[in-house]
Amino acid sequence: QVQLIESGGGLVQAGGSMRLSCTASGRTDNTNARGWFRQAPGKEREFVAAIHWFSGNTDYADNVKGRFTISKDNTKNTVYLQMNNLRPADTAIYYCASAPTITMLHISQKLWGQGTQVTVSS
């Protein structure tokens, strides 16, 4: 089974930047779509961004468009989330996820990483 390992979280001041990484290991079948979700305390887990491994197509939540960029490095089997102009509302645990397609990331069973905490201070 594929395993997803996130890294790069931490504490940053509002307006700052941070880059998250998600590296996949093991079998990567049915993981053509990779993406990021986040969950803040007391809130539902929400979609952030996704990328298709082969086509490079991307998808973003409206509240991160223009600030976050998802990218990938095929040689490292790693997906990145570059987060700029961070806001306190971005504070959450960020989870890497995978599914066969981007659409299925939204609506289907997903594989999850362990999560990494991102805290944005005022």
Side-chain angles (χ1 to χ4, degrees), residues 18-59:
M18 183 175 291
R19 189 180 75 164
L20 306 181
S21 300
C22 174
T23 298
S25 62
R27 290 178 60 91
T28 56
D29 293 351
N30 300 315
T31 61
N32 291 337
R34 318 282 178 87
W36 294 92
F37 292 72
R38 66 187 184 185
Q39 186 167 22
K43 295 185 177 181
E44 297 181 357
R45 189 170 297 187
E46 65 177 355
F47 170 77
V48 176
I51 188 168
H52 192 275
W53 196 251
F54 299 107
S55 73
N57 291 341
T58 59
D59 187 27

Side-chain angles (χ1 to χ4, degrees), residues 5 7 17-18 34 64-65 88 94 96 98 100 105:
I5 305 297
S7 63
S17 298
M18 183 175 291
R34 318 282 178 87
V64 305
K65 287 181 179 178
Y94 283 70
C96 183
S98 66
L105 273 177

Side-chain angles (χ1 to χ4, degrees), residues 35-86:
W36 294 92
F37 292 72
R38 66 187 184 185
Q39 186 167 22
K43 295 185 177 181
E44 297 181 357
R45 189 170 297 187
E46 65 177 355
F47 170 77
V48 176
I51 188 168
H52 192 275
W53 196 251
F54 299 107
S55 73
N57 291 341
T58 59
D59 187 27
Y60 295 93
D62 287 342
N63 56 4
V64 305
K65 287 181 179 178
R67 299 190 299 121
F68 291 9
T69 302
I70 189 169
S71 62
K72 59 185 178 68
D73 186 334
N74 292 4
T75 64
K76 298 180 179 179
N77 208 1
T78 297
V79 175
Y80 304 97
L81 184 68
Q82 178 66 46
M83 304 183 293
N84 298 327
N85 193 23
L86 284 162

